[in-house]
Structures are given as structure tokens and as C-alpha cells.
Amino acid sequence: MLTIDNLTFRIAGRPLFEGASVTVPTGSKTGVVGRNGSGKTTLFRLIQGEIGPDGGDISIHRRAKIGSVPQEAPASQDSVLEMVLKADRERTSLSEEAEIATDPHRIAEIHTRLADISSHTAEARASAILKGLGFDKHGQQARCSTLSGGWRMRVALAGLLFAEPDLLLLDEPTNYLDLEGAMWLEKYLATYPYTVLLVSHDRDLLNKAVTSIIHLDKGKLTFYRGPYDTFEATRRMQMELSNKARAKQLTQIAHMQKFVDRFRYKESKAKQAQARLKAIAKLKPPEALFDETVAPFSFPQPKQASAIPMLNFEDVSVGYDGRVVLSKITTRIDPDDRIALIGVNGNGKSTFAKLIAGELKPMSGKITRARKLDIAYFAQHQIEKLRPNETPLQHVEPLMPYASEAKRRARVAQMGLSTSRMGTIAANLSGGEKARLLFGLVTFGGPNMLILDEPTNHLDIDSRDALVAALNDFEGAVMVISHDRHLIEATVDQLWIAADGQIAEFEEDLDFYQKTLTGGSAGKAAKAPSGAAPSRPERQKGRRQGAARREETAHLRRAISQTEAMIERLNRDLKRVEEKLADPALYQGDPKEAVGLATERARLEHELAELESEWVKTNEALEAATRAQAAQ
């Protein structure tokens, strides 16, 4: 489907791609990963022909249709459903021609082609895609011009999926989706009938929707089979083996160099010294491989302990302009609570977050807050409130008016911004750098609670892992609203759902929730508190323990799946080596080749034995955890 050969491309003299080559098989679902700024979006622009390479070639099947989400979402007077239907240009053109055609033969051709492309099911297919992306029947009839930018981007995505291009290019598609939309897209892409190239930092999407990974690193493209976790494990193993080979060669070079230094001027050893010098010149140790370090996130711990409960809600209603969005909220939040707020967009998640943060006042009911309660609220729209012409140091100055320049710089460094970026105005910072600056500003005073509304949109995978570590180190309460399933599963122990105008505790896990999205039974597993708020009930502790056990089990299952993939790969490699060793012709040539293959077989057998032992131990741990769950 797609072949990239010796691609070279530079931006302002900086090489972004240098001799990069890769082949994407037809029908594959491939994730494209790499650090922010490595060139993933530029690669898509090169594939689409928007810009030309400085060298090399990009070839695509000449009849293949390429599709990507436009940068500007549609804002027409058409309805959402009509806009999606128009995305299939061939169907639209044929339908319009059928209205005016008079030649019987042409009319027959048109209707035959419309039947071939299943035109009669077009509206149903478009409606199903829109429903998966969060548009109910009423929303599908709304005019695109009345939608916000985020919802219009969903319309654009729906149109692209409906058109079904042969090569589907998606660049961070979950950034404008909620958790429910991301879960739906994950399943849709896994069964998409054509080729997909997906740029994403969403670990779950890359594990469940793709079957291969292209890694963009240092201007090169490397193809790996398997989902993201398999890629990560394979690459780490390759790095370890390469670095061991490098260390071995460097030791060998050092040993020969000692001989040369000692004997190069002795006549009796001069020839041997010269031979070793030539051998040293021929030895080229592989380049040391390592992961670039990612600056950690650092959230100041709460300056003082909060009373229990930290927040108490009694029959609270909240909304906008006299319209109630949420009602009958009777619950509490304690200082050690870790909550993920889930629910379809438009059901009040952000409204509830603003209520907790104090940005909205209750329309009725009572909220009791602990004294001196400090809540930090991070939301994506707040990035726009950064002062674009001021540097990170200037943003920090009002918060540290009497501190020295050195102390201000140290505080900005704690936010994860390098020395070179401290004097860069906010308008010129990357999305990830702006997010880090905003994290540092909203948590500056050591809050008792963090509310994070879609915190990962501008973060790459390693930065998301750093955020997970920081949240787990934070000693205050946390509430997360996110489409990033990995972030939710790794940092929280309670699920609350916004649905039917209420906030309810969801008593199952995310796997069960995903099933309810298609079955429409989410409410059956959610329990809205009623009456007076309970005083730290034991059942809540039990649910937390259950959530922790489910997360432990999920981790073990992922480890087993990852190990099995590696065992399968090693078995294939071992079979290939053994087939070569079984060939009689091998022993008629250079004996070094047979010795090398025998050594390779021994290495593979050793690695295989270690992995199989690890697999047995992990399975035993999973069985023990499952038995423990069943006993409780």
C-alpha cells in the first residue's frame, strides 16, 4: 500500500528525516509513535503530497484513495448527518447525476454503481458512526454551524470514516473525543476494512486498534509487528542486546589497544601491534541506544491536611442561565479519594468539575467545604488564558514577588521546562510545554485536591507516564476527566458517572462500562447516593480494594500477553535458525557461518527458557490473584 524509500526532509536546515525507509502492508493497522517534535505530522503531510521531500521517494498504489481529517472543521448550514453523507463524494455525485440523467444506459450504470457501493444503506451507516462519536438522533439533525469547534471536528472525523478511504490517516483523533468516543473508535478501527496509519499517544488505542508500530526516532522509521506494549518490550530488548554487544566490542578494543600501546615500538612485536591497529580500525561498535529522559511532573504536596469530609454535597443542583444540568447531588469527597468522572459528553462532567472548583455556584442545596480548602483545576481551555507574550519566568513572578531569579528558575525547572525554554514567550511554546506550565501554575500553592479535565491531550506517551507517576505520588485528592484509559486505570480507584442529570457511583470497572455503552445499561451498574451523605462507609473501602485488585489483575494479563508475543517471535527465529542448521549445504562452506548459527541458536534457546519461566510465574501470580478475589 505505502512504500517510503530513503526519505530525506529538512526544516530550516535541521534534518527531520534522513535516509528513512519503511513499507506499510495493505490492510494493516499501524500506529506511528515518536517523541513530540520528531516529525509525525510532517510525515503525514509528505504522504499526502502537501509538501515535497528533499530526497527519496514515497509511493502509494495509484488507485488508492487517501483520507485525513481536515485541519478546519465544517461550519456549514447542512445538518450533521447531511455533512457526513456528503463526505462520500462518489455517492453524492452519482446521486445528483441520477436526478438529471436522461440516457437510459447511463441511468442504469449509475444505479448499478450505487448498488455496488451500498448507497441504500448509506444513511444508516453514517448514523451509526455519528452515534458512536456521541451524536444522538437530535444531534444528527443539528446544523454544523451551531456546533462548537470540538464537535465539528467529530463531524469531520465521522465524514472521513464514512468515506472509507483506502489509506486512512489519523493524527491524534482522540484529542477531541471523550472516553466513550475513544472506546468506540478503538473498536471501529480494529475492524476497519482498509489500511490505517494512526498517530497517537493513547496507549490503549495503540494496544487495541493496531497490529503494528512504526517508530520514528532520530530521522529513521522502524517497523515493528504487534501492538504498542509488544513494540516497547521488543525495542527495550533490542537496546539491551545492542548495548551489551557494544560493551563487549569496546572491551575488546581496549584490550587490543593496551597491547598496541605496550609493544608498538618493540621491533619483535611491531608487526603484531600493527595488525591489531588495523583490527581496531575495522571494528565499529554499534551506537549506544538509550531513551531520552523525560522531565518528571512535580506537584507540591498539600500545605496542610484537610478536614474529613473535604467536600459534602446535600441535594445540590447546578446549571447555567437558570437551566439545571445536574440535580440531586448528595455525596462527599474525602482527602484520599481518587475519582475518575466518566460519562458521555454533554451529561455534566465539566459542570460538576466547575462546581467543585468553585467556578459555579449551586442553584439549590448545600455544599460544605473544609476550612482553607485549596483546589487546583486544570482544563484544556485554560491554556488559552496563558499570557502569550510573557515567558514562563514572567508567569511565575507574581506568585514569587520577593524571590530571587535563581529561585524562580528553580521553580520553573520543577515544572519540567528546560533552561533554554524559560525565556521563551508562551505563544512559542509547544502544546506539551504549555500544559506543563499550566500544571505548575494551578498547583503552585500546594492544593488539597487536583481536578484534571483532559490533561493528556498535548503529552506524548512518556510524558503521560510521568504524569501518572506524579499523580500517584500526590497525597491529596484527585478527580480525573479523561479519554485516556491508561491514565484512569493507573491513578484512580473509584468511577463516578454523569448520566441522566445526576452524579452516581459506578460499581464496575471500565471493561464493564465499555460493554454497557452498546447495551445501554450503564445506569444498572451505577448507584446514585440518596438521603444524607454517608460517613465514610465501609462499602466504599471495599470498592477501592476491589478496584486495586482489578488493576493488579489487568497488569498481570497485559504482562502475560506481552510475554506470549515475545515467545512466539523467538520461536519463529529459532525455527528459522534450526532450518538453516539442518541444511547439509551449510557445512560445505565457511565453518564460521555454522558456528555463528549454533551460537545464535544457543542464545535464542536461553532467552526462550527465561521468557517461559517468566510466563509461568506471571500465570501463577494471576491465578493466585483470581483466587483471592473469588474468596472475598
Side-chain angles (χ1 to χ4, degrees):
M1 168 57 70
L2 170 67
T3 301
I4 298 173
D5 183 32
N6 203 29
L7 175 66
T8 299
F9 184 77
R10 296 178 179 85
I11 293 181
R14 179 175 71 92
L16 207 57
F17 298 97
E18 203 161 21
S21 299
V22 74
T23 298
V24 179
T26 299
S28 68
K29 314 294 185 296
T30 303
V32 182
V33 300
R35 287 288 172 83
N36 282 343
S38 60
K40 300 184 295 295
T41 300
T42 302
L43 178 63
F44 274 20
R45 295 184 65 199
L46 286 163
I47 291 171
Q48 294 179 90
E50 294 178 8
I51 52 178
D54 295 325
D57 183 57
I58 299 175
S59 58
I60 303 170
H61 192 284
R62 60 189 181 86
R63 294 184 180 178
K65 293 188 299 181
I66 305 174
S68 65
V69 178
Q71 292 183 349
E72 293 187 7
S76 73
Q77 294 300 309
D78 291 323
S79 73
V80 168
L81 182 59
E82 288 170 344
M83 198 69 192
V84 172
L85 289 170
K86 285 183 177 180
D88 187 342
R89 295 179 180 178
E90 181 185 11
R91 175 191 165 278
T92 302
S93 175
L94 288 171
S95 297
E96 290 175 352
E97 187 180 352
E99 295 292 329
I100 58 174
T102 56
D103 182 359
H105 295 291
R106 179 55 185 159
I107 293 173
E109 288 176 355
I110 291 171
H111 285 283
T112 299
R113 181 55 184 162
L114 286 172
D116 289 342
I117 61 176
S118 302
S119 176
H120 61 288
T121 64
E123 188 168 325
R125 286 186 284 114
S127 180
I129 292 171
L130 284 168
K131 182 180 179 182
L133 293 176
F135 291 90
D136 57 19
K137 289 185 178 180
H138 176 73
Q140 293 178 25
Q141 300 305 318
R143 290 184 178 181
C144 291
S145 58
T146 64
L147 302 177
S148 66
W151 282 98
R152 290 205 303 272
M153 289 304 296
R154 292 192 189 205
V155 177
L157 175 60
L160 176 64
L161 298 178
F162 174 71
E164 291 192 339
D166 301 298
L167 177 57
L168 177 62
L169 304 178
L170 294 176
D171 192 351
E172 294 290 358
T174 58
N175 274 5
Y176 35 84
L177 298 180
D178 52 19
L179 175 64
E180 294 72 18
M183 286 178 165
W184 177 87
L185 182 64
E186 173 190 297
K187 293 184 68 176
Y188 187 88
L189 292 180
T191 58
Y192 186 75
Y194 307 112
T195 308
V196 177
L197 268 185
L198 169 68
V199 171
S200 180
H201 296 303
D202 189 320
R203 186 185 292 264
D204 269 87
L205 186 65
L206 291 171
N207 273 325
K208 296 178 180 178
V210 307
T211 55
S212 54
I213 296 289
I214 291 176
H215 183 219
L216 172 51
D217 182 47
K218 299 176 183 176
K220 303 294 185 183
L221 297 167
T222 308
F223 187 88
Y224 294 82
R225 296 196 180 277
Y228 184 83
D229 282 350
T230 302
F231 147 74
E232 193 174 49
T234 303
R235 181 168 175 270
R236 197 160 300 282
M237 181 181 290
Q238 289 175 346
M239 289 170 62
E240 290 174 1
L241 291 173
S242 179
N243 289 340
K244 284 179 182 178
R246 173 183 169 81
K248 187 176 180 180
Q249 280 202 354
L250 289 174
T251 301
Q252 184 181 359
I253 289 172
H255 180 74
M256 289 191 292
Q257 188 64 48
K258 282 182 181 179
F259 184 93
V260 171
D261 294 342
R262 184 176 179 184
F263 297 114
R264 69 189 304 174
Y265 299 113
K266 289 190 177 182
E267 187 176 350
S268 61
K269 301 286 187 180
K271 288 185 178 180
Q272 295 178 41
Q274 288 299 318
R276 281 167 171 76
L277 276 175
K278 290 179 180 178
I280 290 173
K282 290 180 180 179
L283 284 173
K284 295 181 179 179
E287 181 183 357
L289 299 178
F290 55 88
D291 282 323
E292 297 178 25
T293 56
V294 173
F297 285 90
S298 179
F299 299 136
Q301 299 298 344
K303 285 190 174 180
Q304 59 184 17
S306 173
I308 300 174
M310 191 166 64
L311 283 161
N312 195 63
F313 299 82
E314 297 179 37
D315 200 25
V316 174
S317 297
V318 64
Y320 305 90
D321 302 324
R323 181 178 67 88
V324 175
V325 176
L326 296 170
S327 62
K328 301 179 182 178
I329 304 173
T330 299
T331 189
R332 61 186 280 161
I333 298 175
D334 293 325
D336 61 346
D337 278 342
R338 299 289 171 123
I339 302 163
L341 185 58
I342 60 177
V344 177
N345 270 7
N347 278 356
K349 299 191 299 292
S350 294
T351 301
F352 187 54
K354 291 176 182 177
L355 176 68
I356 296 172
E359 292 190 7
L360 287 177
K361 300 297 181 184
M363 298 171 68
S364 63
K366 180 181 179 183
I367 301 177
T368 305
R369 298 176 181 267
R371 291 185 60 206
K372 298 183 179 179
L373 177 62
D374 184 4
I375 296 177
Y377 178 40
F378 174 98
Q380 284 301 318
H381 69 269
Q382 290 177 324
I383 287 181
E384 299 171 3
K385 295 181 181 180
L386 293 174
R387 298 183 289 279
N389 295 318
E390 292 189 13
T391 68
L393 282 171
Q394 289 172 320
H395 277 83
V396 167
E397 186 175 352
L399 302 173
M400 305 176 69
Y402 305 111
S404 65
E405 178 81 2
K407 287 186 177 179
R408 288 174 188 160
R409 286 183 172 275
R411 191 58 185 266
V412 175
Q414 289 177 358
M415 299 176 186
L417 294 169
S418 64
T419 303
S420 63
R421 306 300 281 172
M422 293 180 187
T424 304
I425 61 172
N428 293 336
L429 295 175
S430 68
E433 289 168 335
K434 289 177 182 177
R436 283 182 176 273
L437 176 57
L438 184 57
F439 273 123
L441 294 175
V442 299
T443 63
F444 197 89
N448 304 98
M449 181 178 185
L450 300 180
I451 303 174
L452 307 180
D453 192 346
E454 295 295 353
T456 61
N457 276 1
H458 297 289
L459 303 180
D460 59 30
I461 291 179
D462 292 331
S463 295
R464 292 181 185 206
D465 288 341
L467 178 60
V468 167
L471 289 176
N472 287 332
D473 288 341
F474 181 65
E475 296 173 2
V478 174
M479 175 172 283
V480 173
I481 303 170
S482 178
H483 65 263
D484 189 326
R485 182 168 173 168
H486 175 70
L487 176 73
I488 292 174
E489 291 181 331
T491 60
V492 310
D493 49 32
Q494 299 180 66
L495 296 179
W496 289 13
I497 184 169
D500 302 323
Q502 292 186 302
I503 299 294
E505 296 173 12
F506 192 77
E507 298 185 349
E508 299 291 341
D509 59 12
L510 283 177
D511 286 330
F512 184 86
Y513 179 63
Q514 186 169 14
K515 294 176 183 176
T516 66
L517 293 177
T518 54
S521 57
K524 296 179 182 178
K527 186 175 182 180
S530 59
S535 57
R536 212 164 178 77
E538 288 298 322
R539 61 183 176 81
Q540 190 179 63
K541 290 183 179 180
R543 279 197 299 276
R544 292 182 187 178
Q545 293 167 357
R549 287 195 298 272
R550 286 194 298 272
E551 173 57 21
E552 179 184 0
T553 303
H555 170 72
L556 292 171
R557 292 183 190 278
R558 286 195 295 269
I560 289 170
S561 176
Q562 179 177 309
T563 305
E564 286 174 346
M566 294 168 68
I567 288 173
E568 184 180 351
R569 181 178 61 81
L570 285 177
N571 274 319
R572 287 198 303 268
D573 292 346
L574 184 59
K575 182 179 179 182
R576 174 180 51 80
V577 170
E578 288 178 338
E579 285 175 352
K580 289 183 179 180
L581 286 169
D583 185 1
L586 172 69
Y587 305 96
Q588 297 174 7
D590 188 348
K592 290 182 180 179
E593 185 178 356
V595 172
L597 286 170
T599 304
E600 176 72 1
R601 178 175 64 182
R603 182 187 68 80
L604 290 171
E605 287 175 342
H606 176 70
E607 290 183 10
L608 194 57
E610 286 188 340
L611 283 173
E612 287 174 345
S613 176
E614 182 182 334
W615 182 86
V616 170
K617 290 178 182 178
T618 311
N619 267 281
E620 289 174 350
L622 177 60
E623 290 175 4
T626 304
R627 284 196 300 270
Q629 288 182 8
Q632 293 181 359

